[in-house]
Amino acid sequence: MPGMLSEAQMKALDEARGPVFDRLFLTGMIQHHRGAVTMVADLFNTFGAAQDELTFKFASDAQVDQTTEIARMQKMLFMLELQGH
């Protein structure tokens, strides 16, 4: 499934503390959210898929929400970098 963190990434996150944890968490969540956006794109690019109103609305909302969260987390990462972490 796109966006899932590897076992090594999860282990690194588990072992991290402080700003290192924050950075790994944010980069991992960005990767995870990008996976959701990829899955929505795959759904919408599949002929005949997402024809049901509820499915279409859910997928559309997921795409917007995840894209918004990615932008927010990228800003948070930028702020960590500015602080020298």
Side-chain angles (χ1 to χ4, degrees):
M1 183 179 301
M4 297 301 290
L5 273 64
S6 69
E7 192 171 321
Q9 287 174 297
M10 291 298 291
K11 185 175 188 289
L13 184 61
D14 183 48
E15 294 172 354
R17 299 292 180 266
V20 173
F21 174 87
D22 295 342
R23 188 177 316 105
L24 288 175
F25 178 81
L26 289 168
T27 56
M29 288 304 294
I30 290 169
Q31 174 184 322
H32 186 69
H33 282 44
R34 283 183 176 151
V37 172
T38 297
M39 289 189 287
V40 170
D42 290 346
L43 176 70
F44 287 157
N45 289 324
T46 301
F47 181 77
Q51 297 299 307
D52 176 76
E53 182 181 346
L54 186 59
T55 303
F56 179 80
K57 182 173 177 4
F58 175 80
S60 296
D61 288 349
Q63 183 178 29
V64 170
D65 292 346
Q66 299 300 294
T67 301
T68 300
E69 289 294 318
I70 290 168
R72 185 174 292 139
M73 289 184 284
Q74 287 173 328
K75 288 179 185 175
M76 293 169 76
L77 272 175
F78 179 74
M79 293 307 294
L80 281 174
E81 296 299 323
L82 282 179
Q83 294 170 1
H85 298 291

Coordinates of all heavy atoms in Angstrom, one line a residue:
M1 N 0.9 -1.2 0.0 CA 0.0 0.0 0.0 C 0.9 1.2 0.0 O 1.8 1.3 0.8 CB -0.9 0.0 1.2 CG -1.9 1.1 1.3 SD -3.0 1.1 2.8 CE -3.8 -0.5 2.6
P2 N 0.7 2.2 -0.9 CA 1.5 3.3 -1.0 C 1.5 4.2 0.3 O 0.4 4.3 0.9 CB 1.0 4.1 -2.2 CG -0.4 3.6 -2.4 CD -0.4 2.2 -1.9
G3 N 2.6 4.6 0.7 CA 2.7 5.5 1.8 C 3.0 4.9 3.2 O 3.3 5.6 4.2
M4 N 2.9 3.6 3.2 CA 3.2 2.9 4.5 C 4.6 3.0 4.8 O 5.5 2.8 4.0 CB 2.7 1.4 4.4 CG 1.2 1.3 4.2 SD 0.2 2.0 5.4 CE 0.5 0.9 6.8
L5 N 4.9 3.2 6.1 CA 6.3 3.3 6.5 C 6.9 1.8 6.6 O 6.2 0.9 7.0 CB 6.4 3.9 7.9 CG 6.5 5.5 7.9 CD1 5.3 6.1 7.3 CD2 6.8 6.0 9.2
S6 N 8.2 1.7 6.3 CA 8.8 0.4 6.4 C 9.1 0.1 7.9 O 9.0 0.9 8.8 CB 10.2 0.5 5.7 OG 11.1 1.3 6.3
E7 N 9.4 -1.1 8.1 CA 9.8 -1.6 9.4 C 11.0 -0.8 10.0 O 11.0 -0.4 11.1 CB 10.1 -3.1 9.4 CG 10.2 -3.7 10.8 CD 10.3 -5.2 10.8 OE1 9.6 -5.8 9.9 OE2 11.1 -5.7 11.6
A8 N 11.9 -0.5 9.1 CA 13.1 0.3 9.5 C 12.7 1.7 9.9 O 13.2 2.3 10.9 CB 14.2 0.3 8.4
Q9 N 11.8 2.3 9.1 CA 11.3 3.7 9.5 C 10.6 3.7 10.8 O 10.8 4.6 11.6 CB 10.4 4.2 8.4 CG 11.1 4.6 7.1 CD 10.1 4.9 6.0 OE1 9.3 4.1 5.6 NE2 10.2 6.2 5.6
M10 N 9.8 2.7 11.0 CA 9.0 2.6 12.3 C 10.0 2.4 13.5 O 9.8 3.0 14.5 CB 8.0 1.5 12.2 CG 6.8 1.7 11.3 SD 5.9 3.2 11.7 CE 5.1 2.6 13.2
K11 N 11.0 1.6 13.3 CA 12.0 1.4 14.3 C 12.7 2.6 14.7 O 12.9 3.0 15.8 CB 13.0 0.3 13.9 CG 14.0 -0.1 15.0 CD 14.8 -1.3 14.5 CE 15.7 -1.9 15.7 NZ 16.8 -1.1 16.1
A12 N 13.1 3.4 13.6 CA 13.9 4.6 13.8 C 13.0 5.6 14.6 O 13.4 6.3 15.5 CB 14.3 5.2 12.5
L13 N 11.7 5.7 14.2 CA 10.7 6.6 14.9 C 10.6 6.2 16.4 O 10.6 7.0 17.2 CB 9.4 6.5 14.2 CG 8.3 7.4 14.7 CD1 8.7 8.9 14.5 CD2 7.0 7.2 13.9
D14 N 10.5 4.9 16.6 CA 10.4 4.4 18.0 C 11.6 4.7 18.8 O 11.4 5.0 20.0 CB 10.2 2.9 18.0 CG 10.0 2.3 19.3 OD1 9.1 2.8 20.1 OD2 10.6 1.3 19.7
E15 N 12.8 4.8 18.2 CA 14.0 5.0 19.0 C 14.3 6.5 19.1 O 15.1 6.9 19.9 CB 15.1 4.3 18.3 CG 15.0 2.8 18.4 CD 16.1 2.0 17.6 OE1 16.8 2.7 16.9 OE2 16.1 0.8 17.7
A16 N 13.7 7.3 18.3 CA 14.0 8.8 18.2 C 13.3 9.5 19.4 O 12.3 9.1 19.9 CB 13.5 9.4 16.9
R17 N 13.9 10.6 19.8 CA 13.4 11.5 20.8 C 13.6 13.0 20.4 O 14.5 13.3 19.6 CB 14.2 11.3 22.1 CG 14.0 9.9 22.7 CD 12.6 9.6 23.2 NE 12.5 8.2 23.7 CZ 12.1 7.2 23.0 NH1 11.8 7.3 21.7 NH2 12.0 6.0 23.6
G18 N 12.8 13.8 21.0 CA 13.0 15.3 20.7 C 12.8 15.7 19.3 O 11.9 15.1 18.6
P19 N 13.6 16.7 18.9 CA 13.5 17.2 17.5 C 13.7 16.1 16.4 O 13.1 16.2 15.3 CB 14.5 18.3 17.4 CG 14.8 18.7 18.8 CD 14.6 17.4 19.6
V20 N 14.5 15.1 16.7 CA 14.7 14.0 15.7 C 13.4 13.3 15.5 O 13.0 13.0 14.4 CB 15.9 13.1 16.2 CG1 16.0 11.9 15.2 CG2 17.2 13.9 16.2
F21 N 12.7 13.0 16.6 CA 11.4 12.3 16.5 C 10.5 13.2 15.7 O 9.7 12.7 14.9 CB 10.8 12.1 17.9 CG 9.4 11.5 17.9 CD1 9.2 10.2 17.8 CD2 8.3 12.4 17.9 CE1 7.9 9.6 17.7 CE2 7.1 11.9 17.9 CZ 6.9 10.5 17.7
D22 N 10.4 14.5 16.1 CA 9.5 15.4 15.4 C 9.7 15.3 13.9 O 8.7 15.2 13.1 CB 9.6 16.8 15.9 CG 9.2 17.0 17.3 OD1 8.5 16.1 17.9 OD2 9.7 18.0 17.9
R23 N 11.0 15.4 13.5 CA 11.3 15.4 12.0 C 10.9 14.1 11.4 O 10.3 14.0 10.3 CB 12.8 15.7 11.8 CG 13.1 15.9 10.4 CD 14.6 16.2 10.1 NE 15.1 17.2 11.0 CZ 16.0 16.9 12.0 NH1 16.4 15.7 12.2 NH2 16.4 17.9 12.8
L24 N 11.2 13.0 12.1 CA 10.9 11.6 11.5 C 9.4 11.4 11.5 O 8.9 10.9 10.5 CB 11.6 10.5 12.3 CG 13.1 10.4 12.2 CD1 13.6 9.3 13.1 CD2 13.4 10.1 10.7
F25 N 8.7 11.9 12.5 CA 7.2 11.7 12.5 C 6.6 12.5 11.4 O 5.8 12.0 10.6 CB 6.7 12.2 13.9 CG 5.2 12.2 13.9 CD1 4.6 11.0 14.2 CD2 4.4 13.3 13.7 CE1 3.2 10.9 14.3 CE2 3.0 13.2 13.8 CZ 2.4 12.0 14.0
L26 N 7.0 13.8 11.2 CA 6.4 14.6 10.1 C 6.8 14.0 8.8 O 5.9 14.0 7.9 CB 6.9 16.0 10.3 CG 6.3 16.8 11.4 CD1 7.1 18.1 11.7 CD2 4.9 17.0 11.3
T27 N 8.0 13.6 8.5 CA 8.3 13.1 7.2 C 7.6 11.8 7.0 O 7.1 11.5 5.8 CB 9.8 12.9 7.0 OG1 10.3 12.0 8.1 CG2 10.6 14.2 7.0
G28 N 7.4 11.0 8.0 CA 6.7 9.7 7.9 C 5.2 10.0 7.6 O 4.6 9.3 6.8
M29 N 4.6 10.9 8.3 CA 3.2 11.3 8.0 C 3.0 11.9 6.7 O 2.0 11.6 6.0 CB 2.7 12.2 9.1 CG 2.5 11.5 10.5 SD 1.4 10.0 10.4 CE -0.1 10.8 10.0
I30 N 3.9 12.7 6.2 CA 3.8 13.2 4.8 C 3.8 12.1 3.8 O 3.0 12.0 2.9 CB 5.0 14.2 4.6 CG1 4.7 15.5 5.4 CG2 5.1 14.5 3.1 CD1 5.9 16.5 5.4
Q31 N 4.7 11.1 4.0 CA 4.8 9.9 3.1 C 3.5 9.2 3.2 O 2.9 8.8 2.2 CB 6.0 9.0 3.6 CG 6.0 7.7 2.9 CD 7.1 6.8 3.5 OE1 8.2 7.3 3.8 NE2 6.9 5.5 3.5
H32 N 3.0 9.0 4.4 CA 1.7 8.3 4.6 C 0.5 9.0 3.9 O -0.3 8.4 3.2 CB 1.4 8.1 6.1 CG 0.3 7.3 6.4 ND1 0.2 5.9 6.2 CD2 -0.9 7.6 6.9 CE1 -0.9 5.4 6.6 NE2 -1.6 6.4 7.0
H33 N 0.4 10.3 4.1 CA -0.6 11.1 3.5 C -0.5 11.1 1.9 O -1.5 11.0 1.2 CB -0.6 12.5 4.0 CG -1.2 12.6 5.4 ND1 -1.0 11.7 6.4 CD2 -2.1 13.5 5.9 CE1 -1.7 12.1 7.5 NE2 -2.4 13.2 7.2
R34 N 0.7 11.1 1.4 CA 0.9 11.1 0.0 C 0.4 9.8 -0.6 O -0.1 9.7 -1.7 CB 2.4 11.3 -0.4 CG 2.8 12.8 -0.3 CD 4.3 13.0 -0.7 NE 4.6 14.4 -0.7 CZ 5.8 14.8 -0.5 NH1 6.8 14.0 -0.2 NH2 6.0 16.1 -0.5
G35 N 0.6 8.7 0.2 CA 0.1 7.4 -0.2 C -1.5 7.4 -0.4 O -2.0 6.9 -1.3
A36 N -2.1 8.1 0.6 CA -3.6 8.3 0.5 C -4.0 9.0 -0.8 O -4.9 8.7 -1.5 CB -4.2 8.9 1.7
V37 N -3.2 10.1 -1.1 CA -3.5 10.9 -2.3 C -3.3 10.1 -3.5 O -4.1 10.1 -4.5 CB -2.6 12.2 -2.3 CG1 -2.8 12.9 -3.6 CG2 -3.0 13.1 -1.1
T38 N -2.3 9.2 -3.5 CA -2.0 8.3 -4.6 C -3.1 7.3 -4.8 O -3.6 7.1 -6.0 CB -0.7 7.6 -4.4 OG1 0.4 8.5 -4.4 CG2 -0.4 6.6 -5.5
M39 N -3.6 6.8 -3.7 CA -4.7 5.8 -3.8 C -6.0 6.5 -4.4 O -6.7 5.9 -5.2 CB -5.0 5.2 -2.5 CG -3.9 4.2 -2.1 SD -4.4 3.2 -0.6 CE -4.2 4.5 0.7
V40 N -6.3 7.7 -4.0 CA -7.4 8.4 -4.5 C -7.2 8.7 -6.0 O -8.1 8.5 -6.8 CB -7.7 9.8 -3.8 CG1 -8.7 10.6 -4.5 CG2 -8.1 9.5 -2.4
A41 N -6.0 9.1 -6.4 CA -5.8 9.3 -7.9 C -5.9 8.0 -8.6 O -6.5 8.0 -9.7 CB -4.3 9.9 -8.0
D42 N -5.4 6.9 -8.1 CA -5.6 5.6 -8.8 C -7.1 5.3 -8.9 O -7.5 4.8 -9.9 CB -4.9 4.5 -8.0 CG -3.4 4.6 -8.1 OD1 -2.9 5.4 -8.9 OD2 -2.7 3.9 -7.3
L43 N -7.9 5.5 -7.9 CA -9.3 5.3 -7.9 C -10.0 6.1 -9.0 O -10.7 5.6 -9.8 CB -9.9 5.6 -6.5 CG -11.5 5.5 -6.5 CD1 -11.9 4.0 -6.6 CD2 -12.0 6.1 -5.2
F44 N -9.7 7.4 -9.0 CA -10.3 8.3 -10.0 C -9.9 8.0 -11.4 O -10.6 8.3 -12.4 CB -10.1 9.8 -9.6 CG -10.9 10.2 -8.4 CD1 -10.5 11.3 -7.7 CD2 -12.1 9.6 -8.1 CE1 -11.2 11.8 -6.6 CE2 -12.8 10.1 -7.0 CZ -12.4 11.1 -6.2
N45 N -8.7 7.4 -11.6 CA -8.2 7.1 -12.9 C -8.6 5.7 -13.4 O -8.1 5.3 -14.4 CB -6.6 7.2 -12.9 CG -6.2 8.7 -12.8 OD1 -6.8 9.6 -13.4 ND2 -5.1 8.9 -12.1
T46 N -9.4 5.0 -12.6 CA -9.8 3.7 -12.9 C -11.2 3.8 -13.5 O -12.2 4.3 -12.9 CB -9.9 2.8 -11.7 OG1 -8.6 2.7 -11.1 CG2 -10.4 1.4 -12.0
F47 N -11.4 3.4 -14.7 CA -12.6 3.5 -15.5 C -13.8 2.8 -14.6 O -13.7 1.7 -14.2 CB -12.6 2.8 -16.8 CG -13.8 3.0 -17.6 CD1 -14.2 4.1 -18.2 CD2 -14.7 1.9 -17.7 CE1 -15.4 4.3 -18.9 CE2 -15.9 2.0 -18.4 CZ -16.2 3.2 -19.0
G48 N -14.8 3.6 -14.4 CA -16.0 3.1 -13.7 C -15.9 3.1 -12.2 O -16.9 2.8 -11.6
A49 N -14.8 3.5 -11.7 CA -14.7 3.5 -10.2 C -15.2 4.8 -9.7 O -15.3 5.8 -10.3 CB -13.2 3.4 -9.8
A50 N -15.6 4.8 -8.4 CA -16.0 6.0 -7.6 C -17.3 6.6 -8.2 O -17.5 7.8 -8.1 CB -14.9 7.0 -7.5
Q51 N -18.1 5.8 -8.8 CA -19.4 6.2 -9.4 C -20.4 6.5 -8.3 O -21.3 7.3 -8.5 CB -19.9 5.2 -10.4 CG -19.0 5.0 -11.6 CD -18.7 6.3 -12.4 OE1 -19.7 7.0 -12.8 NE2 -17.5 6.7 -12.6
D52 N -20.4 5.7 -7.2 CA -21.3 5.9 -6.1 C -21.0 7.2 -5.5 O -19.9 7.6 -5.2 CB -21.1 4.7 -5.1 CG -21.9 4.9 -3.9 OD1 -23.1 4.6 -4.0 OD2 -21.3 5.3 -2.8
E53 N -22.1 8.0 -5.2 CA -22.0 9.3 -4.6 C -21.2 9.3 -3.3 O -20.3 10.2 -3.1 CB -23.3 9.9 -4.4 CG -23.3 11.4 -3.9 CD -24.7 12.0 -3.6 OE1 -25.7 11.4 -4.1 OE2 -24.7 13.0 -3.0
L54 N -21.5 8.4 -2.4 CA -20.8 8.3 -1.1 C -19.3 8.1 -1.3 O -18.5 8.7 -0.6 CB -21.4 7.3 -0.2 CG -20.9 7.2 1.2 CD1 -21.1 8.6 1.9 CD2 -21.6 6.1 2.0
T55 N -19.0 7.1 -2.2 CA -17.5 6.8 -2.4 C -16.8 8.0 -3.0 O -15.7 8.4 -2.6 CB -17.4 5.6 -3.4 OG1 -18.1 4.5 -2.8 CG2 -16.0 5.2 -3.6
F56 N -17.5 8.7 -4.0 CA -16.9 9.8 -4.6 C -16.6 10.9 -3.6 O -15.5 11.5 -3.6 CB -17.8 10.3 -5.8 CG -17.2 11.5 -6.5 CD1 -16.2 11.4 -7.4 CD2 -17.6 12.8 -6.1 CE1 -15.7 12.5 -8.0 CE2 -17.1 13.9 -6.7 CZ -16.1 13.8 -7.7
K57 N -17.6 11.2 -2.8 CA -17.5 12.2 -1.7 C -16.4 11.9 -0.8 O -15.5 12.7 -0.4 CB -18.8 12.5 -1.0 CG -18.7 13.6 0.0 CD -20.0 13.9 0.6 CE -20.0 15.0 1.7 NZ -18.8 15.6 2.0
F58 N -16.3 10.7 -0.3 CA -15.3 10.2 0.7 C -13.9 10.4 0.1 O -13.0 11.0 0.7 CB -15.5 8.8 1.1 CG -14.4 8.3 2.0 CD1 -14.4 8.6 3.3 CD2 -13.4 7.5 1.5 CE1 -13.4 8.2 4.1 CE2 -12.4 7.1 2.3 CZ -12.3 7.4 3.6
A59 N -13.7 9.9 -1.2 CA -12.4 10.0 -1.8 C -12.0 11.5 -2.1 O -10.9 11.8 -1.9 CB -12.4 9.2 -3.1
S60 N -13.0 12.3 -2.5 CA -12.7 13.7 -2.8 C -12.3 14.4 -1.5 O -11.3 15.2 -1.5 CB -13.9 14.4 -3.4 OG -14.2 13.8 -4.6
D61 N -13.0 14.1 -0.4 CA -12.7 14.7 0.9 C -11.3 14.3 1.4 O -10.5 15.1 1.9 CB -13.8 14.4 1.9 CG -15.1 15.1 1.7 OD1 -15.1 16.0 0.9 OD2 -16.1 14.7 2.4
A62 N -11.0 13.0 1.2 CA -9.7 12.5 1.6 C -8.6 13.2 0.9 O -7.6 13.5 1.4 CB -9.7 11.0 1.4
Q63 N -8.8 13.3 -0.4 CA -7.8 14.0 -1.3 C -7.5 15.4 -0.8 O -6.4 15.8 -0.6 CB -8.2 14.0 -2.7 CG -7.2 14.6 -3.7 CD -7.6 14.5 -5.1 OE1 -8.8 14.5 -5.4 NE2 -6.7 14.4 -6.0
V64 N -8.6 16.2 -0.5 CA -8.4 17.6 -0.1 C -7.8 17.6 1.3 O -6.9 18.4 1.6 CB -9.8 18.3 -0.1 CG1 -9.7 19.6 0.6 CG2 -10.3 18.5 -1.5
D65 N -8.3 16.8 2.2 CA -7.8 16.8 3.6 C -6.4 16.4 3.7 O -5.6 17.0 4.4 CB -8.7 15.9 4.5 CG -10.1 16.4 4.7 OD1 -10.4 17.6 4.4 OD2 -10.9 15.6 5.1
Q66 N -6.0 15.3 3.0 CA -4.6 14.8 3.0 C -3.7 15.8 2.4 O -2.6 16.0 2.9 CB -4.5 13.5 2.4 CG -5.4 12.4 3.0 CD -5.1 12.1 4.5 OE1 -4.0 11.7 4.8 NE2 -6.0 12.5 5.4
T67 N -4.1 16.4 1.3 CA -3.2 17.4 0.7 C -3.0 18.6 1.6 O -1.9 19.2 1.7 CB -3.9 17.9 -0.7 OG1 -4.0 16.7 -1.5 CG2 -3.0 18.9 -1.4
T68 N -4.1 19.1 2.2 CA -4.0 20.2 3.2 C -3.1 19.8 4.3 O -2.2 20.6 4.8 CB -5.4 20.5 3.7 OG1 -6.2 20.9 2.6 CG2 -5.3 21.7 4.7
E69 N -3.2 18.6 4.9 CA -2.3 18.2 6.0 C -0.9 18.1 5.5 O 0.0 18.4 6.3 CB -2.8 16.8 6.5 CG -4.1 16.9 7.3 CD -4.0 17.7 8.5 OE1 -3.0 17.5 9.3 OE2 -4.9 18.4 8.8
I70 N -0.6 17.6 4.3 CA 0.8 17.6 3.8 C 1.4 19.0 3.8 O 2.5 19.2 4.3 CB 0.8 17.0 2.4 CG1 0.5 15.5 2.4 CG2 2.2 17.2 1.7 CD1 0.2 14.8 1.1
A71 N 0.6 19.9 3.3 CA 1.1 21.3 3.3 C 1.4 21.8 4.7 O 2.4 22.5 4.9 CB 0.2 22.2 2.6
R72 N 0.5 21.5 5.6 CA 0.7 21.9 7.0 C 2.0 21.3 7.6 O 2.7 22.0 8.3 CB -0.5 21.6 7.8 CG -0.5 22.1 9.2 CD -1.8 21.8 9.9 NE -2.9 22.6 9.3 CZ -4.1 22.2 9.1 NH1 -4.5 21.0 9.4 NH2 -5.0 23.0 8.6
M73 N 2.1 20.0 7.4 CA 3.3 19.3 7.9 C 4.6 19.8 7.3 O 5.6 19.9 7.9 CB 3.1 17.8 7.8 CG 2.1 17.3 8.8 SD 1.9 15.5 8.8 CE 1.0 15.2 7.3
Q74 N 4.6 20.1 6.0 CA 5.8 20.7 5.3 C 6.1 22.0 6.0 O 7.3 22.3 6.2 CB 5.5 20.8 3.8 CG 5.5 19.5 3.1 CD 5.1 19.6 1.7 OE1 4.3 20.5 1.3 NE2 5.6 18.8 0.8
K75 N 5.2 22.8 6.3 CA 5.5 24.1 7.0 C 6.1 23.8 8.4 O 7.0 24.5 8.8 CB 4.2 24.9 7.2 CG 3.7 25.5 5.9 CD 2.4 26.3 6.1 CE 1.9 26.8 4.7 NZ 0.6 27.5 4.9
M76 N 5.6 22.8 9.1 CA 6.1 22.5 10.4 C 7.6 22.0 10.3 O 8.4 22.4 11.1 CB 5.3 21.4 11.1 CG 3.9 21.9 11.4 SD 2.7 20.6 11.9 CE 3.3 20.2 13.6
L77 N 7.8 21.2 9.2 CA 9.2 20.8 9.0 C 10.1 21.9 8.7 O 11.3 22.0 9.2 CB 9.3 19.8 7.8 CG 9.1 18.3 8.1 CD1 9.0 17.5 6.8 CD2 10.2 17.8 9.0
F78 N 9.6 22.9 7.9 CA 10.4 24.1 7.6 C 10.7 24.8 8.9 O 11.9 25.3 9.0 CB 9.6 24.9 6.6 CG 10.3 26.2 6.2 CD1 11.4 26.2 5.4 CD2 9.9 27.4 6.7 CE1 12.0 27.4 5.0 CE2 10.5 28.6 6.4 CZ 11.6 28.6 5.5
M79 N 9.8 25.0 9.7 CA 10.0 25.7 11.0 C 11.0 25.0 11.9 O 11.9 25.6 12.5 CB 8.7 25.8 11.8 CG 7.7 26.8 11.1 SD 8.3 28.4 10.7 CE 8.6 29.1 12.3
L80 N 11.0 23.6 11.9 CA 12.0 22.9 12.6 C 13.4 23.2 12.0 O 14.4 23.3 12.8 CB 11.8 21.4 12.5 CG 10.7 20.8 13.4 CD1 10.5 19.3 13.1 CD2 11.1 20.9 14.9
E81 N 13.5 23.2 10.7 CA 14.8 23.5 10.1 C 15.3 24.9 10.4 O 16.5 25.1 10.7 CB 14.7 23.3 8.5 CG 14.4 21.9 8.1 CD 15.4 20.9 8.5 OE1 16.6 21.3 8.5 OE2 15.1 19.8 8.8
L82 N 14.3 25.9 10.4 CA 14.7 27.2 10.8 C 15.3 27.3 12.2 O 16.1 28.1 12.5 CB 13.5 28.2 10.7 CG 13.1 28.6 9.3 CD1 11.9 29.5 9.3 CD2 14.3 29.3 8.6
Q83 N 14.7 26.5 13.1 CA 15.1 26.5 14.5 C 16.4 25.7 14.7 O 17.0 25.6 15.8 CB 14.1 25.9 15.4 CG 12.8 26.7 15.4 CD 11.6 25.9 16.1 OE1 11.8 24.8 16.5 NE2 10.5 26.6 16.1
G84 N 16.9 25.1 13.6 CA 18.2 24.4 13.7 C 18.0 22.9 14.2 O 19.0 22.3 14.6
H85 N 16.9 22.4 14.1 CA 16.6 21.0 14.5 C 16.6 20.1 13.3 O 15.9 19.5 12.8 CB 15.4 20.9 15.4 CG 15.4 21.7 16.6 ND1 16.2 21.5 17.7 CD2 14.7 22.8 16.9 CE1 16.0 22.3 18.6 NE2 15.1 23.2 18.2

